[in-house]
Amino acid sequence: MKKVLLGVVLIMSLGGCATAPVINKAASPAEKGPGPGEGVVILSVTGNTAQVNQFDEIRVTRFEPKSDKPASSNASPPRAQSYVLSQLSRGLARDTAVFAGVLPAGEYYFERFTDIDTSRFLTLNEVMRGQLGYFTVSANALSDLGRLVITPANFKVTVGRSTLVQTNEPLVRRFLPKLAKWYDGKVIAGWMTPKKSTDLSELSAIA
């Protein structure tokens, strides 16, 4: 892929006052299996940005569950739960990394990609989240989200879904055998909607 000397920019999402999410460290499925009501998520990320070596962490946030309490209740609304997925493939490739984690069943969106070594990060605003799409985690199942592509485009940084790599099974079975067992059970694509026709990140990366 063509490398472009462009720093990752911080894209902030503006909105009204909201309760800050609780940030949790997702357990690695290479070390711990899912408990009751939990599933596994695996994805790979290819970065086409020269000033970021590889992303080390991805933060995903679960949509807040609906409360059964009446609107007149004085109880605090449920707080959104965010989870950090760690890279499990350091040294595998210069521009591609594999991330995995054990998450509670539910619906999620991608929030932030972080490169710890360079202290750079990319935060997705609401428009970018909707363009990329949301994903679901099912209990006792693997959500294989395929590959995400992060690339500069028109002086911005875009995040999109790969059409060429829609499953990580070959990569995992070859290089990450501790994760391979999850492909022996129930596997779902995970994405809640098809890739949008306006998602051109991969095409920009290979142009």
Side-chain angles (χ1 to χ4, degrees), residues 21-29 41 43 55-62 81-88 99-104 108-114 116 135:
V22 178
I23 301 176
N24 310 275
K25 181 80 169 182
S28 166
V41 61
L43 69 145
F55 289 102
D56 301 294
E57 296 179 343
I58 299 175
R59 186 192 301 176
V60 300
T61 299
R62 184 185 182 191
Q81 298 285 323
S82 291
Y83 297 85
V84 175
L85 307 176
S86 298
Q87 183 196 148
L88 301 181
F99 297 81
V102 176
L103 299 176
Y108 292 81
Y109 59 84
F110 286 92
E111 183 175 351
R112 177 179 290 192
F113 298 78
T114 301
I116 296 176
F135 68 94

Side-chain angles (χ1 to χ4, degrees), residues 21-185:
V22 178
I23 301 176
N24 310 275
K25 181 80 169 182
S28 166
E31 309 295 338
K32 173 187 177 295
E38 294 181 330
V40 173
V41 61
I42 295 177
L43 69 145
S44 55
V45 177
T46 292
N48 189 36
T49 305
Q51 293 186 8
V52 172
N53 299 321
Q54 281 185 356
F55 289 102
D56 301 294
E57 296 179 343
I58 299 175
R59 186 192 301 176
V60 300
T61 299
R62 184 185 182 191
F63 284 102
E64 295 183 33
K66 294 181 180 180
S67 175
D68 294 329
K69 297 183 181 298
S72 60
S73 173
N74 293 324
S76 300
R79 296 181 67 184
Q81 298 285 323
S82 291
Y83 297 85
V84 175
L85 307 176
S86 298
Q87 183 196 148
L88 301 181
S89 58
R90 185 166 293 278
L92 175 64
R94 185 175 62 179
D95 61 354
T96 300
V98 176
F99 297 81
V102 176
L103 299 176
E107 299 174 355
Y108 292 81
Y109 59 84
F110 286 92
E111 183 175 351
R112 177 179 290 192
F113 298 78
T114 301
D115 177 10
I116 296 176
D117 293 338
T118 63
S119 299
R120 296 179 185 271
F121 56 90
L122 173 66
T123 299
L124 275 61
N125 59 29
E126 188 172 352
V127 173
M128 296 174 71
R129 297 170 191 166
Q131 170 73 12
L132 179 60
Y134 311 121
F135 68 94
T136 184
V137 173
S138 297
N140 301 313
L142 164 63
S143 294
D144 183 351
L145 301 181
R147 181 162 300 174
L148 301 184
V149 179
I150 299 179
T151 189
N154 298 324
F155 303 103
K156 297 180 180 181
V157 175
T158 66
V159 184
R161 289 148 63 175
S162 172
T163 300
L164 300 176
V165 182
Q166 298 189 39
T167 176
N168 294 292
E169 183 173 2
L171 181 66
V172 167
R173 287 197 182 278
R174 181 176 181 183
F175 297 107
L176 299 165
K178 289 186 177 181
L179 294 177
K181 61 183 178 181
W182 303 114
Y183 284 94
D184 296 331

